[in-house]
Amino acid sequence: MSTLEKLQTLAQVAEDRERWRAEGKTVALANGIFDLLHVGHVRYLQGARELADVLVVAVNSDASTRAYKGPGRPYIPEAERAELVAALDCTTRVLLFDEPNVRPIIRALKPDVHVKGTDYTPDTIPEADEVRAYGGRTAVAGDPKNHSTTEIARRTGREGGKG
């Protein structure tokens, strides 16, 4: 499947989810902004993919990124961020979302495992209750949080919308 074919709507991914379930495949869901894609993002997504047969990645839209990170973000437009994530071999499907969290996506897809980065523990994942409600599990993947888009932006003079 080509990079652009991996980019789908939630409705399209939900259809795929039913097929994957019928095929006995497990599904992991990861999410994030993925602004200024860096090695920490790649390691997180590779780790998430190792936990299931299929990896769906939900990428925050520009509007939800601004609501979460402030008016100077994102640095990279949503379509480009989603395409970069889709270009990674470890991703199966990528979708954009506007909501403040991934609860609606979890409800629609019921992933076998919802994966967050190492800035969380399985017990501190905000959507853990949603996942446990249908019998799914949560997990943490990636390397220690030693990489940061904000730090990269600061070093390059872009933090706060500069440059």
Side-chain angles (χ1 to χ4, degrees):
M1 176 172 276
S2 76
T3 295
L4 293 179
E5 289 173 323
K6 289 183 185 182
L7 302 172
Q8 297 188 358
T9 65
L10 179 56
Q12 291 169 314
V13 176
E15 286 181 24
D16 288 337
R17 171 62 169 130
E18 290 308 311
R19 187 182 79 252
W20 295 325
R21 184 179 330 234
E23 294 170 353
K25 292 182 179 176
T26 56
V27 175
L29 172 67
N31 66 282
I33 295 170
F34 305 104
D35 205 4
L36 302 181
L37 191 66
H38 56 68
V39 71
H41 293 136
V42 172
R43 291 172 183 166
Y44 160 51
L45 295 175
Q46 288 173 332
R49 175 63 174 78
E50 291 172 4
L51 298 172
D53 300 313
V54 170
L55 175 60
V56 175
V57 182
V59 176
N60 291 74
S61 69
D62 289 349
S64 69
T65 299
R66 276 189 297 278
Y68 184 61
K69 294 287 188 176
R73 299 282 300 274
Y75 303 118
I76 308 297
E78 62 189 32
E80 293 178 23
R81 290 183 286 116
E83 187 175 342
L84 287 167
V85 171
L88 299 172
D89 286 340
C90 59
T91 63
T92 309
R93 296 290 185 280
V94 176
L95 58 97
L96 288 166
F97 73 101
D98 277 319
E99 296 78 14
N101 60 55
V102 290
R103 286 180 186 276
I105 297 167
I106 290 169
R107 288 182 195 124
L109 300 181
K110 293 185 175 47
D112 299 287
V113 59
H114 176 49
V115 187
K116 297 291 269 187
T118 57
D119 43 342
Y120 293 91
T121 67
D123 294 330
T124 63
I125 294 173
E127 303 87 1
D129 60 328
E130 192 80 43
V131 176
R132 283 192 299 268
Y134 63 82
R137 68 184 179 94
T138 58
V140 171
D143 62 354
K145 188 79 172 170
N146 295 330
H147 312 282
S148 163
T149 296
T150 302
E151 178 59 23
I152 293 168
R154 187 193 62 72
R155 287 194 324 253
T156 61
R158 292 198 48 105
E159 187 174 34
K162 296 176 189 170

